[in-house]
Amino acid sequence: MKKLILATSNRHKIEEIKSILKDLPLEILTLTDFPNYPPLIEDGRTFEENSRKKAIIVHQHTKLLTLADDSGLEVFYLNGRPGVYSARYAGENTTDALNNEKLLREMRGVAPRRRRAQFRAVLTLLGDGVDETTEGVCLGKLAEEPRGTNGFGYDPIFIPDGYTQTYAELTLEEKNKISHRARALERMREKLARLV
Ligand code: IMP
């Protein structure tokens, strides 16, 4: 079976990606299968740069077909922040809860119509003669308070368009129908299918 390594150790991203790609005959590995992988420094200015960097490092290290995901939340009122700083918005060794708190604090008192935001994921597929980038976006708005316990990151404070629940109140299957990551993966599916 064709091996694909995901250039991430984020167990939530891994769970989502594995579930979306489950119908393809792929053996999906992750960085946890390569404990000595080199550090993935995310110092790019865009999701594209960071996604590409991660794919190149992991592909060079493992020589396997590699899929990297760089993603984050962009709040229009904050000129796109946290954006590429999503993972470390409240500091270097922060937590999801502290990131959410900081963002909600910055948005306190901001009217509902000005709470628009989008999640964005940029994927890079590298190896086997393929070098492909796809992007997926999910539009929505920021909640006033965190709600729900599923998922990770900013899931409890993001309400996707067409829903009243936050991402964290949706099941994995429901999130995977509409999420930024799912949309980027659907655009990558054809490329992947051709390689297996
Ligand atoms: P990355 O590992 O540099 O791509 O960081 C992604 C960060 O963006 C995560 O740590 C989360 O804070 C946020 N993020 C990306 N995708 C999602 C998602 O699907 N739900 C919630 N937060 C996300």
Side-chain angles (χ1 to χ4, degrees), residues 96-114:
D96 288 343
L98 288 174
N99 283 336
N100 286 342
E101 245 174 58
K102 175 174 176 182
L103 191 51
L104 286 183
R105 204 164 46 241
E106 290 180 327
M107 294 298 288
R108 196 172 293 148
V110 176
R113 66 186 168 79
R114 303 181 77 188

Side-chain angles (χ1 to χ4, degrees), residues 8 10 13 16 42 47 50 54 69-73 83-88 96 99 119-121 151-156 167 175 179-181:
T8 184
N10 179 322
K13 283 189 185 180
E16 290 181 14
E42 300 186 26
F47 295 119
N50 284 333
K54 288 190 266 193
D69 163 313
D70 202 69
S71 43
L73 181 64
V84 288
Y85 303 105
S86 289
R88 53 199 145 104
D96 288 343
N99 283 336
F119 264 114
R120 199 137 68 93
F152 72 107
Y154 299 93
D155 281 354
Y167 257 0
K175 182 180 172 190
S179 84
H180 50 305
R181 185 162 297 106

Side-chain angles (χ1 to χ4, degrees), residues 112-129:
R113 66 186 168 79
R114 303 181 77 188
R115 301 178 76 84
R116 302 284 300 152
Q118 67 183 18
F119 264 114
R120 199 137 68 93
V122 176
L123 303 179
T124 306
L125 181 67
L126 193 62
D128 292 5

Side-chain angles (χ1 to χ4, degrees), residues 74-77 112-117 139-141 161:
E74 298 174 316
V75 180
F76 302 136
Y77 180 78
R113 66 186 168 79
R114 303 181 77 188
R115 301 178 76 84
R116 302 284 300 152
L139 275 161
K141 60 176 185 282
D161 282 352

